[in-house]
Amino acid sequence: MNAPSPEQEIDQLRAQATALRAELEETNQGVLALYAELDQQAEQLREVSELKSRFLSYMSHEFRTPLGSILSMTRLLEDGIDGPLTDEQRRQVRFISGSASELREMVDDLLDLAKIEAGRITISPDWFDLMDLFSALRGMFRPLIEGNQVDLVFEDPPTLPLLYTDDKKLAQILRNFISNALKFTPNGQVVVSAKLVDAHSVCFSVRDTGIGIPQDLLPTLFEDFVQVDTPLQKRLRGTGLGLSLCKRFAELLGGEVGVTSELGVGSEFHVKLPLKLAAEETADADA
């Protein structure tokens, strides 16, 4: 059998190259079609996400007006504008007021979620003293713990420099941590503290002596709509968004959140933030 001539070998190589080019072209066409399909699906997901955010924002705004009216009316009734209330009437009015306040908190959480997902959340950093923040939080929670079997303690922090961040977002994170701690601590103590981590960051901590959280739930605790399944939780209402919003706010402020817990012993939630919010963090949030 005669060996192929050089011309025949070249023709075979050309034929193989042509076939390979055709195969590559077909593969490229398939990849381009796949990219086009993925782009289309991504666009559909963006549209769905935007519609969800619009719906949440719209419904939240619509709920806030009647809830505000209900709370205003209950305050007027408690103040005795239309005459004094009996003890039972006062108890019922307070129940209505408490339920409306809980519902307003849920609505506020949904509205914040919609703003974050739509990229419309605003970060407004400024210089402030940590002691001013602690004083405001102490005054805010004082009426809620009167007569309770839980002590809310704000530890005097070590000497800290002025912080440059969004104090309202930080206050919202700490309010969520403190509220949760009070809810899940039937008796005992909730302690709020702050300390320097290094020359550039500070860590705020809220620890309690409450019921604690199972270890298997800790990795998902900061996800949307996650709630701890306990008998106490079943008596408390909420959206399951509070901790998720804490995580998102912390990330917007250039920080992070975390938790440690032991069943029957208590939990500790913390948020670590830079002492000074970087300019690019503000720009990213407002984009």
Side-chain angles (χ1 to χ4, degrees):
M1 187 174 181
N2 295 330
S5 65
E7 290 79 7
Q8 289 174 326
E9 289 183 350
I10 291 174
D11 289 341
Q12 289 176 358
L13 291 173
R14 285 175 177 170
Q16 290 174 2
T18 301
L20 183 58
R21 279 197 299 270
E23 185 177 344
L24 288 174
E25 181 65 25
E26 184 179 351
T27 301
N28 286 337
Q29 292 296 327
V31 170
L32 291 174
L34 179 60
Y35 277 138
E37 184 178 349
L38 290 174
D39 285 342
Q40 183 179 7
Q41 291 180 356
E43 182 61 30
Q44 290 173 348
L45 287 174
R46 280 193 292 270
E47 290 177 358
V48 170
S49 179
E50 184 177 351
L51 286 173
K52 183 192 74 172
S53 297
R54 284 184 186 176
F55 173 77
L56 289 175
S57 180
Y58 175 77
M59 292 306 298
S60 299
H61 280 296
E62 290 301 306
F63 275 124
R64 286 169 67 90
T65 301
L67 284 172
S69 300
I70 292 171
L71 289 169
S72 297
M73 289 299 298
T74 56
R75 281 194 293 268
L76 291 174
L77 289 171
E78 281 196 90
D79 290 342
I81 297 299
D82 293 323
L85 301 178
T86 65
D87 290 342
E88 177 60 21
Q89 288 173 332
R90 189 175 297 279
R91 187 187 68 82
Q92 293 175 358
V93 168
R94 287 178 177 171
F95 175 78
I96 294 171
S97 178
S99 298
S101 295
E102 289 178 0
L103 186 54
R104 185 174 63 178
E105 289 177 5
M106 297 181 198
V107 169
D108 288 343
D109 284 348
L110 288 171
L111 185 57
D112 284 336
L113 176 64
K115 287 180 179 178
I116 291 173
E117 293 192 342
R120 298 194 184 100
I121 200 74
T122 300
I123 299 298
S124 303
D126 202 354
W127 295 100
F128 68 95
D129 190 324
L130 174 62
M131 294 306 296
D132 293 337
L133 174 63
F134 275 16
S135 295
L137 289 170
R138 186 184 292 109
M140 182 182 303
F141 281 98
R142 183 176 291 114
L144 301 180
I145 60 174
E146 288 181 355
N148 289 352
Q149 296 179 312
V150 183
D151 293 325
L152 178 58
V153 178
F154 287 83
E155 291 186 344
D156 291 334
T159 302
L160 293 174
L162 292 177
L163 306 183
Y164 183 76
T165 190
D166 190 324
D167 60 331
K168 293 182 176 57
K169 297 294 186 298
L170 173 56
Q172 190 165 347
I173 294 172
L174 295 178
R175 281 203 309 270
N176 268 312
F177 285 172
I178 296 170
S179 294
N180 278 347
L182 292 173
K183 286 178 182 178
F184 295 102
T185 306
N187 54 70
Q189 194 176 61
V190 174
V191 179
V192 186
S193 62
K195 64 179 181 180
L196 281 175
V197 178
D198 51 44
H200 306 288
S201 57
V202 59
C203 183
F204 296 87
S205 168
V206 177
R207 64 182 186 274
D208 62 63
T209 58
I211 61 175
I213 304 167
Q215 293 297 310
D216 60 321
L217 293 181
L218 295 182
T220 61
L221 205 57
F222 290 97
E223 295 179 3
D224 292 347
F225 306 109
V226 170
Q227 292 181 311
V228 178
D229 186 15
T230 68
L232 182 57
Q233 174 66 62
K234 289 179 172 61
R235 299 200 302 270
L236 301 170
R237 289 165 288 189
T239 59
L241 284 174
L243 292 178
S244 170
L245 288 172
C246 288
K247 178 183 178 182
R248 296 187 187 216
F249 284 144
E251 290 171 348
L252 288 172
L253 298 179
E256 60 185 17
V257 293
V259 57
T260 57
S261 186
E262 184 177 347
L263 276 177
V265 177
S267 304
E268 181 172 359
F269 287 83
H270 71 264
V271 54
K272 178 182 174 184
L273 297 176
L275 289 171
K276 183 178 179 182
L277 181 64
E280 57 267 21
E281 300 287 349
T282 306
D284 289 343
D286 295 339

